[in-house]
Amino acid sequence: MYLIICQLFLAVTGSNLPEEAFDVLFPLLQGKRKGRNDICLGITDYSRQTPHQILLGSIPCQFYQTWEQFLELKKKMRTKQWKNRYYLDRNSLIYARKCAPVWESKTIWIDKTYEPMARLNYILYMKSAEDKQVVLRNINQYGDIRGVDVSWMNCCVFCGEFMRQRSYSFKSDKSDIEYMCKQINRFGYNYGETFERQQKHNISGVPICSLCEGSKERQEEYRMNMLSRGDYGESLYHERSEDYHRNLGDMYEKPDTRQIPIDLVSGNKTPLECAITYWDMTDPMSDYFWHPELTADEYMRWIEHTLLSGLNFDDPDPLDDDLWDQFEEDPQYVVEDVVEGIIQQLE
């Protein structure tokens, strides 16, 4: 049976079944027939995913608090009125082109943050990026719900390859995935809405495939394809194009690498290790910005140089400087500290 599953997985997905999957599959294959059905269903769902994903937000909660209500919602989404409203490209020159999703995933979970309440993660998987933009525009223009583009969460920020395993974990995660996207887009990492429930490790950060994560050569190769965010992470707007990065290179001056000592060697293996977060590498306002005209080695040596240039290794006490003495000896600061202490005692 395991051999059949491996062959089925290879035929459907085009890749071999991971070796660690045996620990999960063996007890299911030895159990009841339901376990084998769950495996086949999981492989089918795994293959149906596409890189072009839309999260439906602001769905009224009265549509999924019970299973009967959810069935009514699914019935409503199958009507001709719904399809004509959201799944038609009205800007087509010849006729209204259909842009229906190729698959939909639904995950209902119980949010226990405050009072227990059912929550719904509903994702549409589109055939192409063009279809995704059409449906997004229709939903946000004509609908009572919101459409959120979450495609970037499951594609490598360097090479842009679709990360199918991450996408599978993403769609089945029982948490507010829109909140997750906003946190990762803003800070580069998401610890979960509460410290009691940690986020799954493979979807808790910026999406980086295993090939690019530890490869200096691949990160340099795809420098002009790196995903960049807009509005300092305040919105889920992103750019990924060579023209965008070349324009940034023209707008901001290239660092003068002649200042770097010839014998300076970076202690990092990849450019990604030099920055605090991935977003710092694409933000021109950041001290860790990777200028498009720098190679990977030049960027790594430049970051090493700028970090070391601000340190004085011959200073026995870094805090014993003129600025520190000024704060200690200036009567104005002494009076302010005394007044603040008195106020705290009175409170």
Side-chain angles (χ1 to χ4, degrees):
M1 185 65 185
Y2 183 76
L3 179 59
I4 296 177
I5 293 295
C6 292
Q7 293 175 346
L8 178 62
F9 190 90
L10 178 62
V12 174
T13 66
S15 57
N16 293 320
L17 190 68
E19 294 181 2
E20 56 270 17
F22 178 79
D23 297 333
V24 179
L25 293 177
F26 185 77
L28 293 175
L29 295 175
Q30 297 300 315
K32 298 180 180 179
R33 185 177 182 84
K34 182 179 182 302
R36 296 190 288 272
N37 292 336
D38 291 342
I39 294 175
C40 294
L41 180 61
I43 294 177
T44 304
D45 291 349
Y46 190 86
S47 64
R48 288 176 174 176
Q49 301 174 106
T50 69
H52 317 291
Q53 304 175 7
I54 301 174
L55 172 68
L56 300 184
S58 300
I59 300 177
C61 59
Q62 62 268 21
F63 285 129
Y64 52 84
Q65 293 304 304
T66 65
W67 182 248
E68 290 74 17
Q69 293 174 346
F70 180 67
L71 292 178
E72 287 296 324
L73 173 63
K74 291 181 62 178
K75 184 178 179 181
K76 180 180 179 180
M77 297 180 70
R78 298 292 184 271
T79 60
K80 186 176 181 180
Q81 180 183 3
W82 179 281
K83 295 178 180 180
N84 291 339
R85 192 176 192 182
Y86 300 123
Y87 301 155
L88 284 181
D89 183 6
R90 299 175 181 82
N91 295 332
S92 180
L93 298 178
I94 303 176
Y95 58 91
R97 185 172 60 89
K98 294 182 180 180
C99 303
V102 296
W103 188 54
E104 304 170 359
S105 72
K106 293 82 67 176
T107 301
I108 299 179
W109 53 283
I110 303 299
D111 186 1
K112 299 181 180 179
T113 306
Y114 302 104
E115 295 183 1
M117 183 179 66
R119 301 285 296 274
L120 172 64
N121 294 332
Y122 205 113
I123 301 178
L124 306 179
Y125 296 83
M126 310 306 299
K127 184 177 181 180
S128 64
E130 183 181 0
D131 289 354
K132 180 188 67 176
Q133 294 301 328
V134 170
V135 175
L136 269 175
R137 183 177 64 246
N138 291 341
I139 291 177
N140 293 325
Q141 183 175 356
Y142 305 112
D144 300 327
I145 57 178
R146 291 183 301 106
V148 181
D149 187 356
V150 294
S151 305
W152 66 276
M153 273 290 292
N154 299 307
C155 294
C156 178
V157 291
F158 283 101
C159 63
E161 288 295 321
F162 180 45
M163 302 169 64
R164 193 175 295 272
Q165 181 58 51
R166 177 186 170 104
S167 176
Y168 189 82
S169 300
F170 177 77
K171 69 98 178 171
S172 58
D173 191 60
K174 296 182 179 180
S175 67
D176 188 344
I177 58 178
E178 183 177 0
Y179 173 84
M180 179 204 311
C181 294
K182 290 180 178 179
Q183 292 295 99
I184 294 176
N185 184 65
R186 188 171 184 180
F187 304 110
Y189 199 85
N190 177 37
Y191 291 95
E193 298 183 39
T194 63
F195 287 99
E196 297 178 359
R197 183 192 181 280
Q198 295 293 321
Q199 206 73 49
K200 292 180 181 179
H201 178 69
N202 64 331
I203 58 174
S204 58
V206 175
I208 304 175
C209 70
S210 58
L211 294 177
C212 293
E213 187 173 14
S215 173
K216 179 184 69 175
E217 292 75 16
R218 285 182 65 90
Q219 292 179 21
E220 180 176 3
E221 178 184 357
Y222 295 107
R223 171 60 187 91
M224 292 300 183
N225 190 56
M226 289 173 61
L227 186 72
S228 300
R229 64 179 183 178
D231 305 326
Y232 301 99
E234 295 298 328
S235 66
L236 296 179
Y237 172 77
H238 298 91
E239 285 278 359
R240 185 201 291 273
S241 67
E242 183 174 346
D243 291 339
Y244 171 80
H245 291 292
R246 292 201 180 279
N247 291 335
L248 280 183
D250 296 337
M251 292 172 58
Y252 296 90
E253 184 179 0
K254 177 184 176 181
D256 187 4
T257 56
R258 293 174 298 178
Q259 304 176 18
I260 306 176
I262 301 177
D263 58 346
L264 180 62
V265 179
S266 175
N268 299 298
K269 297 180 179 179
T270 65
L272 183 62
E273 295 180 5
C274 298
I276 298 178
T277 67
Y278 167 82
W279 299 121
D280 291 326
M281 301 173 65
T282 59
D283 183 1
M285 297 290 103
S286 171
D287 294 334
Y288 298 90
F289 174 59
W290 186 357
H291 195 279
E293 296 181 12
L294 291 178
T295 65
D297 287 322
E298 289 176 340
Y299 169 74
M300 294 163 63
R301 295 177 66 243
W302 172 255
I303 294 298
E304 193 85 8
H305 170 68
T306 54
L307 292 178
L308 295 177
S309 61
L311 299 178
N312 182 5
F313 295 101
D314 298 328
D315 189 356
D317 186 1
L319 297 180
D320 187 16
D321 54 20
D322 296 338
L323 181 61
W324 186 262
D325 295 339
Q326 174 187 348
F327 277 93
E328 283 192 334
E329 299 174 1
D330 195 327
Q332 178 182 353
Y333 296 110
V334 175
V335 172
E336 289 180 357
D337 292 339
V338 173
V339 172
E340 183 178 354
I342 295 174
I343 293 176
Q344 291 179 353
Q345 292 179 3
L346 292 176
E347 291 178 347

